Amino acid sequence: MGGLSFRSFTFMFIVAFLVWSSSNVEICHARRGNHWRQQTRTSSASLYKKKGKNHGGNNHHKSGSKPKPKYSSPPPSTPTNPPSKGYDNVPSTNIFDVRNFGATGDGKTDDTKAFQAAWAAACKVEASTMIVPSQHVFLVGPISFSGPYCQHNIVFQLDGTIIAPVDAKSWGSGLMQWLEFTKLVGITIKGNGVVDGRGAVWWQDTPYADPLDDELKLIIPLNKTILRHPPTPLNSSLSGKMPSIKPTALRFYGSFNVTVTGITIQNSQQCHLKFDNCIGVAVYNFTASSPGDSPNTDGIHLQNSKDVLIRSSNIACGDDCVSIQTGCTNVYVHNINCGPGHGISIGGLGKDNTKACVSNITVKDVVMQNTMNGVRIKTWQGGSGSVQGVFFSNIQVNEVQLPIVIDQFYCDKSKCKNQTAAVALSGINYEGIRGTYTVKPVHLACSDSMPCQDVTLTNIQLKPIQEHYHMYDPFCWQTFGELYTPTQPPIECLQVGKPSSNKIQADHDQC
């Protein structure tokens, strides 16, 4: 009996040990398995949602770098979903909502410091997303979202509205830009939000201080008075209030791989969107919207930038829809609706005897409605350098005053002195420019000392519409090239071939 009891006790001990071991193994496996990981993520997400706005990003990134993932890749049993639009698929630790940094979004409280704090946190995390949420209006003063020590591939998700201050004290003696992104790599601004410069106070304040577009000299009303934009009526309560220097609404400087998509910039104080010293720029599904008489409100301004794509956008402004300045190469613009505005322009180049270099520019599939110019190249006397390899194709103009313009005597002041030096123009191609004009179909005014070469015109079909201006025949001066098809109206002033005594560019003219 005693032996039986000992064996029974031993057997029961072994069974109990096995049961205990099995439960421990299951606990370990559960901690390593998918269920535990998913549970942790769910808890983390709920914690993020519960955080108050004073805790938004302060606890995420004390080290200043992206935390290492626990697993390099999900196990085969874990389903992987395609990336979702917006920021739903971004890990919560990479999201920085400006409201969690103190922004109120009521359109009255100054949220500049909150935006600065949100950016400071997002800047430390690669592929982070800074959120400006919808259904909120954020009053933000001049601000710079700066590198170069920020991590790469930051997304600025703009779904709400950002408005500019309209009191002079926010601007001091004047600033060149309002919202600026500098020295960043892989910066994206996207969403369906709005940047509103509230520029009327600036336009009303200094209507006479802005340079006039020199092509106005070509547009003479039927009553023979010199046409000038009527000054915007001054509001006495605003007169003398704002600085004379007007800021660009949104500027990128010294950045690589920049994308702007989906957003609207409206009522800009001056330029809407500017890229300076950038490489790899993509702008698409973008809208710029300001009145046609708002002074110097270019839609998109490019300078010293290369590898640029601008497409599928609507631009209405008071100056050039797209302005391409010196230092730009490999620029491709297509599928743009332009108007009101001054058309799409290269220049002005060579101002104050400077050297300008522009090459490999393509503008195609553009519709222009009630603009001053269609496609234009403008340079100042006394400049040097060159414009080479320009292709304007499939441009529809509707009631455009001057559809095709080359002006090497550009001057936005009351008077400019005559100078012999000029920016050299060659390889300028116009193909499929058609529609209606109200002043002059073609104006090609080139330098005496540096005539335009290799200017080709193909399938030009322009019909006049008499409005309130004198109408003129095509004009050419020192312009050499080829007509590959008959044009309407005939452009007989173009000189076929090359100039007989072509000036060879000096070393300082070469680009």
Side-chain angles (χ1 to χ4, degrees):
M1 188 70 178
L4 181 61
S5 298
F6 177 78
R7 285 195 298 272
S8 299
F9 175 80
T10 303
F11 176 77
M12 292 172 64
F13 177 81
I14 293 171
V15 169
F17 177 80
L18 291 174
V19 170
W20 178 82
S21 301
S22 174
S23 65
N24 271 339
V25 169
E26 288 173 2
I27 291 170
C28 292
H29 286 177
R31 288 184 177 177
R32 293 176 184 169
N34 298 334
H35 176 73
W36 182 85
R37 253 195 354 266
Q38 292 168 359
Q39 216 174 29
T40 302
R41 288 175 180 170
T42 304
S43 301
S44 175
S46 63
L47 281 172
Y48 175 77
K49 291 178 183 177
K50 291 178 182 177
K51 286 182 178 178
K53 60 185 179 180
N54 293 329
H55 299 86
N58 298 336
N59 298 330
H60 296 324
H61 311 291
K62 293 180 180 179
S63 65
S65 61
K66 183 178 178 181
K68 294 182 179 179
K70 203 170 187 68
Y71 298 91
S72 59
S73 60
S77 60
T78 302
T80 55
N81 297 320
S84 59
K85 294 182 179 180
Y87 45 86
D88 296 338
N89 207 45
V90 178
S92 61
T93 53
N94 286 22
I95 293 177
F96 302 89
D97 189 323
V98 295
R99 292 173 300 177
N100 293 333
F101 293 83
T104 60
D106 61 5
K108 299 177 182 178
T109 306
D110 187 349
D111 289 324
T112 307
K113 290 183 178 179
F115 273 63
Q116 289 172 330
W119 176 260
C123 168
K124 299 174 183 177
V125 183
E126 184 177 357
S128 62
T129 298
M130 178 173 164
I131 298 170
V132 181
S134 61
Q135 299 181 340
H136 291 80
V137 178
F138 299 92
L139 175 62
V140 178
I143 188 170
S144 179
F145 302 100
S146 300
Y149 302 110
C150 287
Q151 296 295 314
H152 296 180
N153 303 321
I154 298 175
V155 174
F156 190 96
Q157 183 75 35
L158 176 58
D159 293 318
T161 298
I162 300 174
I163 62 174
V166 291
D167 57 299
K169 66 180 182 180
S170 297
W171 302 96
S173 59
L175 295 170
M176 298 301 294
Q177 49 271 329
W178 169 31
L179 308 175
E180 183 180 37
F181 291 80
T182 67
K183 299 180 180 179
L184 299 167
V185 177
I187 177 68
T188 296
I189 295 185
K190 67 174 185 174
N192 54 14
V194 176
V195 173
D196 189 345
R198 301 204 286 179
V201 64
W202 299 84
W203 311 330
Q204 292 172 342
D205 211 36
T206 53
Y208 299 103
D210 296 287
L212 292 169
D213 194 317
D214 192 43
E215 256 58 84
L216 285 168
K217 69 191 176 192
L218 305 176
I219 302 166
I220 308 299
L222 291 175
N223 62 8
K224 297 185 179 181
T225 59
I226 298 176
L227 179 68
R228 287 290 183 262
H229 282 309
T232 308
L234 282 172
N235 183 325
S236 59
S237 65
L238 298 175
S239 180
K241 182 179 179 181
M242 303 304 285
S244 59
I245 300 175
K246 299 184 181 72
T248 290
L250 179 58
R251 179 195 186 221
F252 293 86
Y253 173 78
S255 296
F256 295 83
N257 296 336
V258 180
T259 300
V260 176
T261 178
I263 70 168
T264 295
I265 303 177
Q266 65 188 30
N267 301 321
S268 175
Q269 303 94 333
Q270 192 163 261
C271 292
H272 289 75
L273 178 60
K274 181 182 288 187
F275 299 92
D276 196 350
N277 282 277
C278 293
I279 298 175
V281 173
V283 179
Y284 57 96
N285 299 333
F286 166 75
T287 299
S289 179
S290 288
D293 60 355
S294 55
N296 299 104
T297 54
D298 296 69
I300 301 175
H301 182 98
L302 305 174
Q303 185 166 330
N304 295 315
S305 295
K306 65 179 182 179
D307 303 332
V308 177
L309 170 64
I310 300 170
R311 66 170 179 86
S312 309
S313 296
N314 299 306
I315 301 175
C317 59
D319 210 308
D320 296 327
C321 290
V322 179
S323 172
I324 301 169
Q325 299 294 328
T326 184
C328 291
T329 185
N330 298 336
V331 177
Y332 189 76
V333 179
H334 75 100
N335 193 23
I336 302 294
N337 292 318
C338 169
H342 293 190
I344 294 179
S345 295
I346 298 173
L349 304 174
K351 186 176 182 179
D352 298 325
N353 306 108
T354 56
K355 182 175 181 179
C357 296
V358 174
S359 63
N360 195 16
I361 310 296
T362 298
V363 178
K364 64 182 298 186
D365 305 332
V366 174
V367 175
M368 299 192 182
Q369 181 74 40
N370 294 114
T371 58
M372 177 190 292
N373 308 289
V375 287
R376 170 172 61 162
I377 302 173
K378 49 182 180 175
T379 71
W380 294 70
Q381 295 182 70
S384 62
S386 69
V387 176
Q388 301 180 53
V390 178
F391 188 53
F392 297 117
S393 173
N394 191 27
I395 311 295
Q396 175 72 46
V397 295
N398 300 317
E399 300 180 53
V400 170
Q401 294 167 358
L402 307 161
I404 298 174
V405 176
I406 294 177
D407 185 359
Q408 290 209 271
F409 302 90
Y410 189 79
C411 172
D412 65 4
K413 297 178 285 190
S414 59
K415 188 176 181 181
C416 297
K417 67 178 181 179
N418 292 328
Q419 300 182 66
T420 56
V423 178
L425 270 59
S426 63
I428 315 298
N429 304 281
Y430 301 90
E431 179 180 289
I433 318 295
R434 64 192 185 279
T436 57
Y437 68 94
T438 61
V439 175
K440 185 188 295 187
V442 175
H443 181 84
L444 305 175
C446 297
S447 166
D448 290 304
S449 60
M450 191 73 72
C452 299
Q453 296 188 63
D454 300 324
V455 177
T456 66
L457 296 101
T458 307
N459 191 23
I460 309 300
Q461 301 291 320
L462 298 169
K463 298 179 181 179
I465 293 181
Q466 180 70 64
E467 284 197 334
H468 309 294
Y469 314 109
H470 282 282
M471 301 192 73
Y472 300 91
D473 293 331
F475 173 83
C476 311
W477 182 262
Q478 294 294 328
T479 308
F480 294 80
E482 299 286 344
L483 294 172
Y484 284 112
T485 62
T487 64
Q488 182 184 355
I491 306 174
E492 298 172 348
C493 59
L494 182 73
Q495 301 184 59
V496 177
K498 295 184 180 294
S500 57
S501 57
N502 181 38
K503 178 182 176 182
I504 300 175
Q505 283 184 292
D507 290 340
H508 69 275
D509 291 326
Q510 300 291 341
C511 289

